[in-house]
Amino acid sequence: MIETIQWTTEGVVMIDQTRIPAEETYVTCRDYHQVADAIRSMVIRGAPAIGVAAAMGVAIGVAKADPANLDAKVDAICAELAGTRPTAVNLFWAIDRMKKLYGELRHLPHAEISEALIREAILVREEDIAINRAMGQHGAPLIPDGGIVLTHCNAGALATAGYGTALGVIRAAVESGKKIGVYADETRPFLQGARLTVWELQHDGIPATLITDNMAGHFLHAGKIACVVVGADRIAANGDVANKIGTYSVAVLAKENNVPFYVAAPVSTLDLTLADGSGIPIEERAGAEVTHVFGVQVAPTGTDVKNPAFDVTPNRYVTAIITERGVARAPYETSLRELARNGK
Ligand code: MRU
């Protein structure tokens, strides 16, 4: 099994996703600043995985803090972690969960607070794996046997604590005996599809074919793709979905070609405070990710660059949203609220 992130006595250990597939190396974060740096620099990435990292970041921050003025220190720890990446709501969900627990325990001795927060962060990780397996059970029946599934970015074990969301649905379908192949969009500019999704699928022996992003329309039109399954970074109350840049194009092309477009995401990815996707903050990353490929300059010096890391797919392109509590379909205003209520 791929171990994306773990709590150890040394610190928070993460597989370095900037090095895969060239190397399988691990980074140990020994304080919360290092956890924040790892999130910012994409050593760890993917919405649920950065949620787990943030929870562990709060735990290590409190454990290492001098107990004097702990309330202010917890605020500073949470603020630094929250400032790392703006789009994936799981990050804020995890920080809020840790902060709420701290609020309940703040009158206790420092050692007890810190032990409880460590236990909670480990629980966030364990729950995430269980959630992904449940999502897989709900999603697997939607995947046609013998078909090719197109996916974008990496919504796999590496993007979560384990098993994956979109790739979790694919894994569950394969485990149920279906013969499935995956077409992976390479996902420019950061190449999560080429580097991470293909690596992960090879790891599990699931047939994977790499295509560049601009080939997806060709294969959808040619009738090669049975369905599309992607993850999400934030889903608004009306079912608009923020996910890796390029997802919107795939969704439009899927609808044009009558191919189902599924989104797999945990309930913690829902942001019901936003009526629609227009309020989702979109991270703008460094231009060098576009002008350079692995340090090699591919555009003239001084090129003007735009590099939004995510886009928003309007709900009309989304066939269904697969969660750990079941599958939501339009109208999403009611089906998503219903799912959110189910766990309460
Ligand atoms: O910039 P990244 O690599 O963090 O973006 C990741 C994605 O867009 C994933 O599709 C999303 O977080 C879902 S991961 C289960």
Side-chain angles (χ1 to χ4, degrees):
M1 177 167 145
I2 297 163
E3 296 289 1
T4 308
I5 178 164
Q6 283 174 292
W7 181 273
T8 73
T9 47
E10 297 299 306
V12 183
V13 177
M14 305 169 186
I15 192 165
D16 186 345
Q17 301 194 32
T18 66
R19 310 295 306 162
I20 296 173
E23 287 171 23
E24 192 177 323
T25 49
Y26 293 80
V27 168
T28 303
C29 300
R30 294 187 161 79
D31 61 37
Y32 79 90
H33 302 295
Q34 291 179 354
V35 174
D37 282 345
I39 297 172
R40 220 178 280 113
S41 64
M42 313 264 280
V43 163
I44 190 158
R45 33 66 49 202
I50 64 177
V52 176
M56 291 189 177
V58 174
I60 204 167
V62 172
K64 297 261 166 117
D66 179 325
N69 294 323
L70 198 53
D71 286 359
K73 283 174 190 149
V74 170
D75 284 346
I77 293 164
C78 292
E80 182 166 331
L81 289 162
T84 51
R85 298 193 71 192
T87 304
V89 77
N90 310 61
L91 179 85
F92 307 99
W93 167 87
I95 293 169
D96 286 351
R97 176 167 164 169
M98 298 298 283
K99 214 169 175 176
K100 187 161 171 275
L101 180 62
Y102 171 76
E104 289 162 13
L105 305 176
R106 54 188 288 281
H107 58 280
L108 295 175
H110 181 240
E112 281 179 45
I113 298 173
S114 109
E115 272 165 34
L117 291 179
I118 291 168
R119 273 199 306 275
E120 187 75 359
I122 292 170
L123 187 63
V124 170
R125 175 186 178 278
E126 285 165 3
E127 283 177 3
D128 187 57
I129 300 171
I131 282 168
N132 293 334
R133 288 201 174 266
M135 207 181 298
Q137 292 310 307
H138 289 297
L142 300 173
I143 309 297
D145 194 6
I148 302 284
V149 182
L150 174 67
T151 192
H152 190 73
C153 193
N154 172 267
L158 290 167
T160 62
Y163 203 68
T165 58
L167 295 193
V169 168
I170 292 167
R171 283 193 167 96
V174 170
E175 285 164 13
S176 76
K178 290 182 179 173
K179 300 262 173 296
I180 289 160
V182 178
Y183 276 24
D185 281 348
E186 70 169 350
T187 318
R188 273 283 284 156
F190 212 71
L191 302 175
Q192 289 94 330
R195 297 187 303 104
L196 308 177
T197 296
V198 174
W199 181 84
E200 228 191 278
L201 292 172
Q202 284 180 353
H203 195 273
D204 278 16
I206 299 173
T209 303
L210 176 63
I211 62 172
T212 63
D213 301 330
N214 49 0
M215 294 174 189
H218 166 76
F219 288 114
L220 284 159
H221 185 63
K224 286 270 183 209
I225 309 293
C227 68
V228 180
V229 189
V230 298
D233 289 84
R234 198 185 288 230
I235 302 174
N238 72 341
D240 289 353
V241 173
N243 191 47
K244 180 52 53 195
I245 191 77
T247 303
Y248 170 53
S249 321
V250 176
V252 173
L253 288 162
K255 191 172 172 98
E256 166 70 15
N257 291 286
N258 296 314
V259 174
F261 179 89
Y262 299 117
V263 174
V267 169
S268 58
T269 303
L270 301 180
D271 184 351
L272 301 183
T273 68
L274 297 178
D276 59 47
S278 62
I280 299 176
I282 301 294
E283 177 182 10
E284 182 76 24
R285 292 190 62 88
E289 288 181 0
V290 179
T291 55
H292 290 64
V293 177
F294 284 103
V296 177
Q297 189 171 329
V298 294
T301 302
T303 300
D304 181 44
V305 176
K306 294 268 184 285
N307 187 15
F310 301 94
D311 60 25
V312 176
T313 298
N315 60 9
R316 63 182 176 276
Y317 296 106
V318 180
T319 310
I321 298 175
I322 304 159
T323 76
E324 72 275 27
R325 294 185 195 162
V327 178
R329 292 185 188 263
Y332 292 108
E333 280 86 355
T334 44
S335 59
L336 292 178
R337 280 198 195 277
E338 181 71 17
L339 282 183
R341 260 197 308 270
N342 279 347
K344 301 268 152 64

